[in-house]
Amino acid sequence: MRILGLDYGDKTIGVAISDPFGWTAQGVEIIRRTNENEYKKSLARLAEIISQYEVEKIVLGFPKNMDNTEGPRCEKTRAFKERLEKRFQNIPVILWDERMSTIAAERSLLEADLSRAKRKNVIDKMAAVHILQGFLDGNK
């Protein structure tokens, strides 16, 4: 069973996929949107990925505040979750606390000594990896 991990943002969606055993997460790509409210192309690309990897579950990063409250980003993420559930009705979508995922991804990329420009090009994909890996580790 493959699990899809998503880091949803205003202009990008970081995408990660689990291995077939559900042990590790690997980055797939970053889906870029020119408009915050444009979803057709993003959902179409996600449909291709879901089909290609035979995804059975989606883990969507949920950006709670550090004090565990929910802000405007959480509302946008819930709305995106509803779009995912409507489009992919047979696939459960799970919200997963993503606090610190972008920070952890940034640290990993700094340790890899990537330039700022290169980090910017992969940070969302790496955040999706951290979200999915957190879910996988938490559900062993």
Side-chain angles (χ1 to χ4, degrees):
M1 172 174 88
R2 296 259 189 157
I3 302 171
L4 186 70
L6 301 175
D7 178 41
Y8 175 71
D10 286 334
K11 302 234 174 160
T12 62
I13 303 170
V15 182
I17 193 78
S18 73
D19 68 281
F21 301 106
W23 295 339
T24 62
Q26 297 89 32
V28 175
E29 68 182 72
I30 297 172
I31 299 171
R32 300 190 190 283
R33 299 192 324 272
T34 54
N35 178 331
E36 177 182 346
N37 297 315
E38 187 275 302
Y39 294 98
K40 279 186 182 181
K41 291 178 189 172
S42 301
L43 291 173
R45 179 62 188 135
L46 286 172
E48 292 170 356
I49 293 168
I50 286 168
S51 175
Q52 176 184 353
Y53 290 100
E54 300 176 351
V55 169
E56 296 182 23
K57 188 180 293 182
I58 298 170
V59 175
L60 178 59
F62 194 58
K64 286 185 170 183
N65 296 321
M66 292 306 289
D67 64 359
N68 207 32
T69 60
E70 296 180 12
R73 289 284 332 138
C74 286
E75 292 175 34
K76 290 180 179 183
T77 302
R78 281 189 199 278
F80 185 64
K81 178 182 187 273
E82 290 173 11
R83 287 179 185 275
L84 290 170
E85 290 171 333
K86 186 176 179 182
R87 176 73 186 263
F88 310 110
Q89 295 179 6
N90 296 326
I91 301 174
V93 180
I94 298 160
L95 293 175
W96 186 257
D97 187 349
E98 72 167 46
R99 282 179 283 185
M100 307 300 286
S101 64
T102 302
I103 293 168
E106 182 81 21
R107 278 195 193 128
S108 296
L109 295 172
L110 283 169
E111 288 172 9
D113 201 28
L114 286 176
S115 69
R116 183 182 304 259
K118 287 181 182 176
R119 286 195 312 265
K120 185 177 180 192
N121 285 330
V122 297
I123 190 73
D124 296 315
K125 179 170 57 174
M126 290 302 297
V129 169
H130 280 275
I131 290 165
L132 181 54
Q133 191 64 55
F135 174 81
L136 297 173
D137 292 346
N139 287 285
K140 283 187 179 172

